[in-house]
Amino acid sequence: MPDLRALELLDAIARTASITLAAGELGVTQQAASLRLRRLEQRLGRQLVIRASRSSELTEYGTALLTIARPVLGAALAMDGELAGLLLAERPLTVAASLTVAEYFLPQWILTFARNGNDPRSVRSRATNTREVVRMVSESEADLGFVEGNEPPQGLRYQDLAQDELAVYVAPTHRWAALGHISSWTLAGTPLVTREQGSGCRAVLHAALLQHGVERSEFAAPLLELPSNIAVLQAAVATVAPAVISTRPAEPYVQDGRLVRVRVDHVTFHRQLGAVWKRGELPASHAARELLHAAMHAVRADQRG
């Protein structure tokens, strides 16, 4: 039977019409691909590919061989996927989540995950900012990630889950509290207490103000950068500076009078919360697929409720 790697190369050449492109797709050098193809042709005693300077195409015999081989390649790919899932099932599920998701969504999603018959003790979670979540998933340090923002991260698979709203908050003694509203230019030009660079809050705030005509040069540098939602809210309570933060952690502060929400004229700040993973239509491991399913189910139930 021909080498599966040689058959994969033949399939890639048929799709790309190029030995060089096929080699790149399979992660080997052009020289290695040519050698692999030449050995297959020598073994079968037939020319499989017509080589040309601009493109390459399969011969009639090469096309016939590929037709026979494709079910075998499909079965091998399916086996690889099942084997990867089996191996991943033997280790804990590593999850990275942005702080808002980690604090206000992930516990419920894990509870739904457990109610569906999965072991919650298999989940290892880390709360961080969106940029770090993307890095961890991209570098295979996390099996599944949950991020904030309105743009799906490049190079990762993405699934929308829920929508979150940001708002401006100040202490009751702040002058904005009496006004009740400010312009987008006033907000942009005011040094704020914010989450650190790389957080979903910062990215959504800047994107929304830019869409409403604020120039990048008009943004004031943050007065203070802090690593958690609670720290940002406490700084606003202490009148350090106004804060732009998710309405979810801010709600108790508004209810007990420690903070006041201030409207921004003609601007709302909404962001998507979503799941990311490295490749495939669904995450590779069974546990990751189950947690993603649990998150989607919990969000739908919350929207109905």
Side-chain angles (χ1 to χ4, degrees), residues 31-219:
Q31 291 82 359
S34 296
L35 178 61
R36 188 177 298 175
L37 177 60
R38 189 160 56 251
R39 285 175 175 171
L40 178 61
E41 290 178 324
Q42 289 171 349
R43 178 176 180 181
L44 297 175
R46 299 288 190 281
Q47 183 180 6
L48 303 176
V49 175
I50 299 173
R51 300 156 176 82
S53 58
R54 293 184 177 272
S55 65
S56 299
E57 61 179 21
L58 270 58
T59 64
E60 182 178 351
Y61 195 91
T63 301
L65 174 61
L66 186 57
T67 300
I68 298 170
R70 274 185 171 146
V72 178
L73 292 173
L77 183 63
M79 186 183 75
D80 284 346
E82 291 298 323
L83 180 58
L86 179 63
L87 294 174
L88 286 171
E90 295 177 355
R91 63 179 176 83
L93 170 62
T94 304
V95 177
S98 66
L99 283 181
T100 299
V101 174
E103 293 172 354
Y104 296 93
F105 292 90
L106 189 57
Q108 179 60 48
W109 296 348
I110 294 176
L111 178 60
T112 302
F113 173 81
R115 286 173 175 168
N116 290 341
N118 300 289
D119 185 359
R121 294 171 298 181
S122 67
V123 180
R124 303 287 184 271
S125 63
R126 175 179 170 183
T128 184
N129 63 49
T130 289
R131 183 169 62 186
E132 180 65 6
V133 172
V134 170
R135 185 199 66 77
M136 290 180 68
V137 173
S138 298
E139 298 180 7
S140 300
E141 293 180 19
D143 305 301
L144 188 63
F146 296 107
V147 297
E148 310 160 357
N150 294 330
E151 294 292 333
Q154 292 186 352
L156 296 177
R157 303 307 296 259
Y158 178 83
Q159 172 65 54
D160 270 339
L161 292 174
Q163 191 174 82
D164 188 37
E165 183 181 9
L166 309 180
V168 180
Y169 295 96
V170 297
T173 55
H174 193 280
R175 60 186 180 85
W176 288 359
L179 291 173
H181 67 96
I182 56 172
S183 73
S184 54
W185 286 271
T186 297
L187 179 62
T190 300
L192 304 172
V193 54
T194 71
R195 289 281 310 285
E196 75 280 13
Q197 189 68 34
S199 74
C201 284
R202 290 274 290 272
V204 171
L205 168 65
H206 287 183
L209 293 180
L210 287 168
Q211 288 178 358
H212 284 78
V214 177
E215 299 291 335
R216 291 187 184 277
S217 60
E218 297 177 275
F219 284 101

Side-chain angles (χ1 to χ4, degrees), residues 4-27:
L4 278 175
R5 293 181 300 171
L7 294 176
E8 287 175 343
L9 174 62
L10 199 65
D11 183 46
I13 294 170
R15 285 184 282 101
T16 63
S18 166
I19 295 176
T20 301
L21 292 178
E25 186 176 296
L26 297 178

